[in-house]
Amino acid sequence: LLHDGRPMVADFGIALALSAAAGGRMTETGMSLGTPHYMSPEQATAEKEITARSDVYSLGSVLYEMLTGNPPHTGSSAQQIIMKIIVEPAEAVTRYRKSVPPNVAAAVAKALEKLPADRFDSAKAFAEALGNPMFTVAGAAGAAGRTVHGWSPRRRGAYLAGAALLGIAAASAGFLLLREKPSAPLVVRFRMAMNAAQTLAVHTVFDTPLALSPDGSHVTFVGRDSVTGKAHLYVRPLDQVTATLLPGTENGRNPFYSPDGRWIGFVTGTDQSLHKIAATGGPVGQVATDIGTAGTPSWGDDQFIVYPLPAGKGLARVSAGGGPPTIVIDSTEFSSVGAPVVLPGSRAVLFSACRAETASGCQFSLHVLELATGKVTRLVEGAGRGWYLPGGYLLYATTEGALHGVRFDAAKLAVTGAPTALLDALSVSRVGYARLVVSTSGTMAFVEGQGRNDHVAVQLDRVGREEVIIARPGPYEQPRFSPDGRRIVLTMPDAKEASQIWIHDRLSGTTAQLTFEGESERPTWSPDGSRVGFPTRRGGVLSYIWSAPADGSGPGQRAGAGPEIGGPAAAVSWTRDGKWLVFDGIPTDARTNGSEDIFALATSSPAAMRPVVTTPANEQSGEVSPDGKWLAYLSDDTGVYQLYVTPFLVAGGRTLVSVGGALEPVWASNDELAYVNSDTDRLTLARLAFGSSITVTRTTLFDTRPFLRGTVSWRNFDVSRDGNHFLFLRPLTRAATVEPIIVVNWVEEVRRLMATAGIQ
């Protein structure tokens, strides 16, 4: 067998192999060789002649365990198991799995017959029986629920005598029995299959669509119906192959269990409220309102739930039975707080927080809060999220998708020793939020990362007809049509993995690099297509708006927005009259609350900057209508990002455009906005009728999941100047259905890895 490219030897036929290596002496001395659970009766009694029928028995034992979850015979010791193999018939597989076809049950039974002559004479014959619906065994097959062949008194006596000798010799230590030493529980990995009606749904960059029951026996996940587009919670016992929908959980997200496993908590995206439901189903009860999106809440042993506040402004704590919440940490010290994990005993809470923005965004670190005193201690730098694993282990994930473990003293609330790498293939969002959960029993579930995401660029019309317009695959992001539609500007990493701006010419099929310094992203075209505007980081921690000739004839120049803006500044719209660049950023004088606001930067000299939308909430993705009258933007002041329109640079109120959350708006015309509904992942067109008030009519187009699932940041689609074509990126390396990986008894692997690294 091959494992990670290395050859491994399986132990079928180990008796013959070792016997040959020792010149036949090993079995002649009466030594029993093999793994006790999978030994044939003749192997267990150390018979000299071991044939291929012994391998058939071992293969049947493995299949029996695959079907039922247990070997044919179990016991507290090797001697007890061997005694059962010799004397007792295996229970019928249909006793444990009624859905096993009769021919499969009969074939397994024949493979597990005590006498070699009663078994299949080859593995080929065994395989043919498994594939033959008409196969049956008359009057035999104890494992199929039929009568067991009777043994002759002489044969039965021989086996019983052998078993007795084995027991006496082992008890007196005068007989050598090769058997496995007591070992740790088996670590088992498997990919949880998803069907089309239960596609794993992720709503925001902070979402974790999975939860494990404390005993690790059940997984709850957020599944989206492929027809209706609606998301619900589903519960699947790990010993079953189907999941059950929990009624009343529509638009639920971020599920989590109570410590006793009797309840499932979740957040609803429609009203951003905290709810709970019995793990077996039933009425849904509301626990709290105004829940933020920065991570999954956590249910403590004291029956209090800790959850993030809207816009990452802190953490609150509320009784699981409802009642007034208490703020346990606010944003005075941090610009963003989230991902709470209540530690055992409910004495303290792990959480991730960002103190200040940098050039690459908010750099999160892992902290611990002592609830009684309010003391906060920083534990790990550069950690987007943390978990506590029973046994004194602190786990944390990096923005690159690597998982590390370090010893943690829960009494002193301090890390001890050096970290150890545990996994390197986690799926992480662009804010470094890894989608992984662990149970108190030591089982783990996670969404696997896909590595480099290569795409082709495609153009779709309003009915979803698709045309490939960049056929050469690449790790493209943020594509934008030029005003005349002949070119596409996009971002792609350079040789140093730094994000740069590139221009693709649709006529020649060539793609040329436009920027070479620092890191640049989120490009936008000037109205005449002669220049490209973009934010760039070229030393220090500040972002600048830059403008460069689209034909690469010059190095470009800074457009302004110097020290007034710290952290990420993003040019997302260049007004059609060419007078303004609209971007979102975090002004230096608002660093204490860390919220994003929208600004307009004049392209004339001097490059004056004007605030457009500035509130305590986060506003981003500002887009000016073609006639320059209206600004479309996203705001999370309700706890979930919604799309609004407001007059551009003129006083006036705002109008809600989206229903159910929105992502990535772009104008298709003066009165039509295209955006992605964050609850259904459908491309939506909103028709705006302007008058004394604005009325909105919405039309749903096609599903964007085949495109946006393969992208990692910001707006990854565009609309042509005539409003009839949509530019998307189709991923080539990411499966249409994300299937989580479950690892049972994962804590044993963590212990082994830590011990190997010298950390006890």
Side-chain angles (χ1 to χ4, degrees), residues 191-196 198-202 209-210 221-224 236 425-427 435 446-450 453 705 708-710 731 733-741:
R191 195 178 297 274
M192 192 178 82
M194 307 288 292
N195 61 45
Q198 299 166 0
T199 305
L200 206 64
V202 178
L210 299 167
F221 63 90
V222 183
R224 190 187 304 283
R236 174 180 163 181
L426 289 176
S427 168
R435 297 181 175 102
F446 70 99
V447 178
E448 189 177 23
Q450 302 292 328
N453 291 317
R705 283 174 293 174
L708 298 184
R709 180 175 288 133
T733 58
R734 190 177 293 253
T737 299
V738 178
E739 296 181 333
I741 294 175

Coordinates of all heavy atoms in Angstrom, one line a residue, residues 191-196 198-202 209-210 221-224 236 425-427 435 446-450 453 705 708-710 731 733-741:
R191 N -13.8 11.7 5.0 CA -14.4 12.8 4.4 C -15.9 12.7 4.5 O -16.5 11.6 4.0 CB -14.0 13.0 3.0 CG -14.3 14.4 2.4 CD -13.7 14.5 1.0 NE -12.3 14.4 0.9 CZ -11.5 15.4 1.1 NH1 -11.9 16.6 1.3 NH2 -10.1 15.2 1.0
M192 N -16.6 13.6 5.1 CA -18.1 13.5 5.2 C -18.8 13.9 3.9 O -18.7 15.1 3.5 CB -18.6 14.4 6.3 CG -20.0 14.1 6.7 SD -20.6 15.1 8.1 CE -21.0 16.7 7.3
A193 N -19.4 12.9 3.3 CA -20.0 13.2 2.0 C -21.2 14.1 2.1 O -22.0 14.0 3.0 CB -20.4 11.9 1.3
M194 N -21.3 15.0 1.2 CA -22.4 16.0 1.1 C -23.2 15.7 -0.1 O -22.6 15.4 -1.2 CB -21.9 17.4 1.1 CG -21.0 17.8 2.3 SD -21.7 17.9 3.9 CE -22.7 19.3 3.6
N195 N -24.5 15.9 -0.1 CA -25.3 15.7 -1.3 C -25.7 17.1 -1.8 O -25.5 18.1 -1.1 CB -26.5 14.8 -1.1 CG -27.5 15.3 0.0 OD1 -27.8 16.5 0.0 ND2 -27.9 14.5 0.8
A196 N -26.3 17.1 -3.0 CA -26.6 18.4 -3.6 C -27.6 19.2 -2.8 O -27.6 20.4 -2.9 CB -27.1 18.1 -5.0
Q198 N -27.6 19.5 0.4 CA -27.1 19.9 1.6 C -25.7 20.4 1.4 O -24.7 20.1 2.1 CB -27.0 18.7 2.6 CG -28.4 18.1 2.9 CD -28.3 16.8 3.6 OE1 -27.3 16.2 3.8 NE2 -29.5 16.2 3.9
T199 N -25.5 21.3 0.5 CA -24.2 21.9 0.2 C -23.8 22.7 1.4 O -24.6 23.5 1.9 CB -24.2 22.7 -1.1 OG1 -24.7 21.9 -2.1 CG2 -22.9 23.3 -1.4
L200 N -22.5 22.6 1.8 CA -22.0 23.3 2.9 C -22.1 24.8 2.6 O -21.6 25.3 1.6 CB -20.6 22.9 3.3 CG -20.1 23.1 4.7 CD1 -20.9 22.3 5.7 CD2 -18.7 22.8 4.8
A201 N -22.7 25.6 3.5 CA -22.9 27.0 3.2 C -22.1 27.9 4.1 O -22.1 27.7 5.4 CB -24.4 27.4 3.4
V202 N -21.3 28.9 3.6 CA -20.6 29.8 4.3 C -21.0 31.2 4.0 O -21.0 31.6 2.8 CB -19.1 29.7 4.1 CG1 -18.3 30.7 4.8 CG2 -18.6 28.3 4.4
P209 N -19.2 26.7 9.4 CA -20.5 26.1 9.1 C -20.6 24.7 9.8 O -21.5 23.9 9.4 CB -20.5 25.9 7.6 CG -19.0 25.8 7.3 CD -18.3 26.6 8.3
L210 N -19.8 24.4 10.8 CA -19.8 23.1 11.4 C -19.8 23.2 12.9 O -19.3 24.2 13.5 CB -18.5 22.3 11.0 CG -18.2 22.0 9.6 CD1 -16.8 21.5 9.4 CD2 -19.2 20.9 9.1
F221 N -24.3 20.9 10.7 CA -23.7 21.8 9.7 C -24.7 22.6 9.1 O -25.9 22.4 9.1 CB -22.9 20.9 8.6 CG -23.8 20.0 7.8 CD1 -24.4 20.4 6.6 CD2 -24.0 18.7 8.3 CE1 -25.2 19.6 5.9 CE2 -24.8 17.8 7.5 CZ -25.4 18.3 6.4
V222 N -24.3 23.7 8.4 CA -25.1 24.6 7.7 C -25.2 24.2 6.3 O -24.2 24.2 5.6 CB -24.6 26.1 7.8 CG1 -25.6 27.0 7.1 CG2 -24.4 26.5 9.2
G223 N -26.4 23.7 5.8 CA -26.5 23.2 4.5 C -27.5 24.1 3.7 O -28.5 24.6 4.2
R224 N -27.1 24.3 2.4 CA -28.0 25.1 1.6 C -28.7 24.2 0.5 O -28.0 23.4 -0.1 CB -27.1 26.2 0.9 CG -28.0 27.2 0.1 CD -27.1 28.2 -0.7 NE -26.1 28.8 0.1 CZ -26.3 29.9 0.9 NH1 -27.5 30.3 1.1 NH2 -25.3 30.4 1.5
R236 N -26.2 15.3 11.6 CA -25.9 13.9 11.1 C -25.2 13.1 12.2 O -24.1 13.5 12.6 CB -25.0 14.0 9.9 CG -24.6 12.6 9.4 CD -23.7 12.7 8.2 NE -23.0 11.4 8.0 CZ -22.2 11.2 7.0 NH1 -22.0 12.1 6.1 NH2 -21.5 10.0 6.9
A425 N -3.3 22.5 6.0 CA -4.2 22.5 4.8 C -5.6 23.0 5.2 O -6.6 22.5 4.7 CB -4.3 21.2 4.2
L426 N -5.7 24.0 6.2 CA -7.0 24.5 6.6 C -7.5 25.5 5.6 O -6.7 26.2 5.0 CB -6.8 25.1 7.9 CG -6.6 24.3 9.2 CD1 -6.4 25.1 10.4 CD2 -7.8 23.3 9.3
S427 N -8.8 25.5 5.4 CA -9.4 26.6 4.7 C -9.6 27.8 5.6 O -10.1 27.7 6.7 CB -10.8 26.1 4.2 OG -11.6 27.2 3.7
R435 N -11.8 27.4 9.4 CA -13.0 26.7 9.6 C -12.7 25.3 10.2 O -12.6 24.3 9.5 CB -13.8 26.7 8.3 CG -14.2 28.1 7.9 CD -15.0 28.2 6.7 NE -15.3 29.6 6.4 CZ -14.7 30.4 5.6 NH1 -13.8 30.0 4.8 NH2 -15.1 31.7 5.5
F446 N -12.9 19.8 10.1 CA -12.4 21.0 9.5 C -12.7 21.0 8.0 O -13.0 19.9 7.4 CB -10.9 21.2 9.7 CG -10.0 20.2 9.0 CD1 -9.4 20.5 7.8 CD2 -9.8 18.9 9.5 CE1 -8.5 19.6 7.2 CE2 -9.0 18.0 8.9 CZ -8.3 18.4 7.7
V447 N -12.7 22.1 7.4 CA -12.8 22.3 5.9 C -11.4 22.4 5.4 O -10.6 23.3 5.8 CB -13.6 23.5 5.6 CG1 -13.7 23.7 4.1 CG2 -15.0 23.4 6.2
E448 N -11.1 21.6 4.4 CA -9.7 21.5 3.9 C -9.5 22.7 2.9 O -10.3 23.1 2.2 CB -9.5 20.2 3.2 CG -8.1 19.9 2.7 CD -8.0 18.5 2.1 OE1 -9.1 18.0 1.6 OE2 -6.9 18.0 2.1
G449 N -8.3 23.2 3.0 CA -7.8 24.3 2.1 C -7.6 23.7 0.7 O -7.3 22.5 0.6
Q450 N -7.6 24.5 -0.3 CA -7.4 24.0 -1.7 C -6.1 24.4 -2.3 O -5.9 24.1 -3.5 CB -8.6 24.5 -2.5 CG -10.0 24.1 -2.0 CD -10.2 22.6 -2.1 OE1 -9.7 21.9 -3.0 NE2 -10.9 22.0 -1.2
N453 N -5.6 28.7 -6.0 CA -6.9 28.7 -6.8 C -6.7 29.2 -8.2 O -6.7 30.4 -8.4 CB -7.9 29.5 -6.0 CG -8.3 28.8 -4.7 OD1 -8.5 27.6 -4.7 ND2 -8.4 29.6 -3.7
R705 N -22.2 30.6 -6.8 CA -21.3 29.7 -6.1 C -20.3 29.0 -7.0 O -19.2 28.8 -6.5 CB -22.1 28.7 -5.3 CG -22.7 29.2 -4.0 CD -23.6 28.2 -3.3 NE -24.8 27.9 -4.1 CZ -25.7 27.0 -3.8 NH1 -25.5 26.3 -2.8 NH2 -26.8 26.8 -4.6
L708 N -17.8 32.3 -7.3 CA -17.2 33.0 -6.1 C -16.6 32.1 -5.1 O -15.8 32.5 -4.2 CB -18.3 33.9 -5.5 CG -18.8 35.0 -6.4 CD1 -19.8 35.9 -5.6 CD2 -17.7 35.9 -6.9
R709 N -17.0 30.8 -5.1 CA -16.4 29.9 -4.1 C -14.9 29.7 -4.3 O -14.2 29.4 -3.4 CB -17.1 28.5 -4.2 CG -16.6 27.5 -3.3 CD -17.3 26.2 -3.3 NE -18.6 26.3 -2.7 CZ -19.8 25.9 -3.3 NH1 -19.7 25.3 -4.4 NH2 -20.9 26.1 -2.7
G710 N -14.4 29.9 -5.5 CA -13.0 29.8 -5.8 C -12.2 31.0 -5.6 O -11.0 31.0 -5.9
P731 N -13.4 28.8 -11.0 CA -12.2 28.0 -10.4 C -12.1 26.7 -11.1 O -13.0 26.0 -11.4 CB -12.6 27.9 -8.9 CG -14.1 28.0 -8.9 CD -14.5 28.9 -10.0
T733 N -9.7 24.4 -9.5 CA -9.1 23.5 -8.6 C -10.0 23.2 -7.4 O -9.6 22.4 -6.5 CB -7.8 24.0 -8.0 OG1 -8.0 25.3 -7.5 CG2 -6.8 24.2 -9.1
R734 N -11.2 23.8 -7.3 CA -12.0 23.6 -6.2 C -13.3 22.9 -6.5 O -13.9 23.2 -7.5 CB -12.4 25.0 -5.6 CG -13.1 25.0 -4.2 CD -13.3 26.4 -3.8 NE -12.1 27.0 -3.5 CZ -11.6 27.3 -2.3 NH1 -12.3 26.9 -1.2 NH2 -10.5 27.9 -2.1
A735 N -13.6 21.9 -5.7 CA -14.7 21.0 -6.0 C -16.0 21.9 -5.8 O -16.1 22.8 -5.1 CB -14.8 19.8 -5.1
A736 N -17.1 21.4 -6.6 CA -18.3 22.2 -6.5 C -19.0 22.0 -5.1 O -19.7 22.8 -4.6 CB -19.3 21.6 -7.5
T737 N -18.7 20.9 -4.4 CA -19.2 20.6 -3.1 C -18.1 20.5 -2.1 O -17.2 19.6 -2.3 CB -20.1 19.3 -3.1 OG1 -21.2 19.5 -4.0 CG2 -20.6 19.1 -1.7
V738 N -18.1 21.3 -1.1 CA -17.1 21.2 -0.1 C -17.5 20.1 1.0 O -18.6 20.2 1.5 CB -16.9 22.6 0.7 CG1 -15.8 22.5 1.8 CG2 -16.5 23.6 -0.4
E739 N -16.6 19.2 1.2 CA -16.9 18.1 2.1 C -15.9 18.2 3.3 O -14.7 18.1 3.1 CB -16.7 16.7 1.4 CG -17.8 16.6 0.3 CD -17.6 15.2 -0.4 OE1 -16.5 14.6 -0.4 OE2 -18.6 14.7 -1.0
P740 N -16.5 18.4 4.5 CA -15.6 18.5 5.6 C -14.9 17.2 6.0 O -15.4 16.1 5.6 CB -16.5 18.9 6.8 CG -17.9 18.4 6.3 CD -17.9 18.5 4.8
I741 N -13.8 17.3 6.6 CA -13.0 16.1 7.0 C -13.2 15.9 8.5 O -13.0 16.9 9.3 CB -11.5 16.2 6.7 CG1 -11.3 16.2 5.2 CG2 -10.7 15.1 7.3 CD1 -9.9 16.5 4.7

